[in-house]
Amino acid sequence: MIWIMIACFFLLIVFGVPIAFAMGASALMYIMVAGIPLEMVAQRFFSNTQSFAFLAIPFFILAGNLMIHGNIAKRIIDVADSMVRQLPGGLGCVSVVTSMGMAGVSGSSVADAASTGSVLIPEMKRKGYTSSFAAAINASSSVVGIIIPPSSTMIIIAWLANLSVAKMFLAGVIPGLLIGLIYLITTVMISIKRGYPRESKPTFMEFLNSIRKASWALLLPILLIGSIVLGIATATEAASLAVIYALLVGLFVYRSLNMKNILKSIRETIHGTGVVMITVCTSMIFTWVLITEGIPKMIADLLGALGLPAWGLLLVIIAIMLVAGMIMELVPNLFLFIPIFFPIATELGMDPIQFSIVMLVSLALGMFTPPVGATLFISCYIAKVGIEKTIKDILPFFIAGIIVVLLVTFIPSLTLWLPGIFE
C-alpha cells in the first residue's frame, strides 16, 4: 500500500499538482484506505508546527522584504560594483558578489534572484552578454541566499534534526562564501573565453563611499547573527528585532520606505510564510506515514547492503540528493531525507551540523536546474530567454557547485571550525 502512495505522489507531480498538495493528497489517500482515524491527520498537520523556533520564519521573511523594498539592493550592488567590476566579465562578477551580500539581508534565494536580476540582467544584456549567460549567473549565484546566514531554511533543518540554530548559521558562513568564490572564478573564466568586457577600475574613495551608503544594511546580518551566537537573543527574538531595525532604517535613515512598500512587504511575507508552512504541514503527514511504514530503515538497509566504504556511501547519498533537488522543491526534500540520511551519516561518523550543510548545499543546487528550479525560472523570465537555452550556460556553475559539495563533505573544518570557536 505504501508504494501505491509513493506512486500516487509522483503521478500527481507529473500532472503539475504543487508538491505540497501532492504530498498531502497521497498521504491522505493512504490514511483513509488504511483506516487510520482522520483526527490523526489534523493532529499531525498542526501539532509539530507549534514551535517557538518557527515564529522566526515570518519575521526573517518580513525583515528581508522591508530591506528589499527599502531599495537596499541598489546599495549592495554599488558595493559589489566597486569591488569587482574591473575583473573580466565585470557585471557578471558584480552579480555574484551582490547575491552574497543580499544573502545576509534577505535570507531568500528567490528574493535575491528577483531583486538582483531585475537590475543587473538588463544591464548585462545591454553590455553584450548573452541573455542565457546573464540568466545563468543570476540563477546560480542566488542560491547562496539560503546558505549564507541568516536563512529560514536553516531554521527548518535545525528544528527537524534537533540542532542549534546558532551553530547552523555559523556552519553556513564558510561554505556560502566558498560557493560564491567558486562562482566568481567560473564567471571570470567563461568571460575571458568569450571576451566579455571589463568595467573601469574603481577608486578607493568610490569603494569607501559605497560602503558608507550601504553600512546600515550590511550591519543587519552582523547584529542578527551576533545576537544569536552570543546568546543575547533566540533566533525568533533576533528575527523580530531585525524587523524593527529594517523598518527604522528604511523609514528614517534611507527614507525609502513608505506605507505602500510596507503593506506590500507584509502581503509578500504572508504569502511566503503560507507557502512554507503549508509545505511543512503536508510534509509532516507524508513523512510520518513513511516512518510508520519503516521506509527510512528499509532504504538505510539497502544502502548498507551495497557494501561500499564510507566515502562511497556518502557519494551515493549526495548523488541522490542532487537528483532529488532537480525534481522536487527544497523543503519537501528536507522532510524526506533528514529521517533517512541523518542516521546513516551519524553512523558513518559525520557530525550532524556538517551533514546538515552538505544536505543544504546539495539540494540548493536544484534551485537553478530544470525542471523546477525557482531561481532559474525567475532569472529566465527577467532575461526573456527560454529555460532550455540556458542549460549550456548553467552546466559550469552546477559542476562548480558539486565541487563545493565534495569539499564540504570531505573537509569537516569548513563547516565545524566557526561553530567550534564559539562553543
Side-chain angles (χ1 to χ4, degrees), residues 1 30 38 58 65 73 78 99 111 126 147 152-153 165 168 220 330 333 349-350 353 362 383 409 415:
M1 184 63 201
Y30 171 89
L38 289 179
N65 285 335
D78 288 342
S99 292
R126 192 178 69 82
I147 301 170
S152 56
T153 307
V165 173
M168 282 292 298
L220 175 60
L330 184 62
N333 274 324
M350 181 175 277
I353 293 288
S362 300
T409 302
T415 50

Side-chain angles (χ1 to χ4, degrees), residues 163-207:
L163 300 172
S164 162
V165 173
K167 287 185 177 180
M168 282 292 298
F169 280 4
L170 288 172
V173 172
I174 294 177
L177 295 175
L178 186 60
I179 200 167
L181 178 62
I182 200 166
Y183 282 171
L184 190 65
I185 293 170
T186 304
T187 301
V188 169
M189 291 173 64
I190 294 173
S191 298
I192 291 173
K193 183 178 179 181
R194 298 185 182 180
Y196 290 138
R198 300 170 183 253
E199 305 298 317
S200 59
K201 187 175 181 179
T203 64
F204 184 65
M205 286 306 297
E206 185 181 347
F207 170 69

Side-chain angles (χ1 to χ4, degrees), residues 81 83-97 124 127 129 133 137 183-202 397:
D81 184 69
M83 292 172 64
V84 295
R85 74 183 186 210
Q86 72 276 16
L87 297 175
L91 280 179
C93 297
V94 170
S95 179
V96 175
V97 175
M124 289 173 70
K127 289 290 181 73
Y129 295 77
F133 185 63
I137 292 176
Y183 282 171
L184 190 65
I185 293 170
T186 304
T187 301
V188 169
M189 291 173 64
I190 294 173
S191 298
I192 291 173
K193 183 178 179 181
R194 298 185 182 180
Y196 290 138
R198 300 170 183 253
E199 305 298 317
S200 59
K201 187 175 181 179
F397 294 96

Side-chain angles (χ1 to χ4, degrees), residues 39-61:
E39 289 83 357
M40 184 69 73
V41 178
Q43 191 265 340
R44 288 285 166 182
F45 195 86
F46 291 109
S47 63
N48 288 330
T49 62
Q50 310 306 303
S51 167
F52 186 65
F54 271 135
L55 282 175
I57 294 175
F59 285 123
F60 274 128
I61 295 173

Side-chain angles (χ1 to χ4, degrees), residues 75 83 107 113-114 148-149 204-205 218 241 284 298 313 332 338 342 359 362 366 376-377 380 385 404 414 420 423:
R75 289 177 170 84
M83 292 172 64
I148 294 178
F204 184 65
M205 286 306 297
L218 297 175
L241 290 173
M284 284 176 179
M298 187 187 73
L313 197 53
I338 284 177
F342 255 72
M359 177 175 284
S362 300
L376 180 61
F377 276 97
C380 287
V385 63
V404 174
L414 292 177
E423 277 187 336

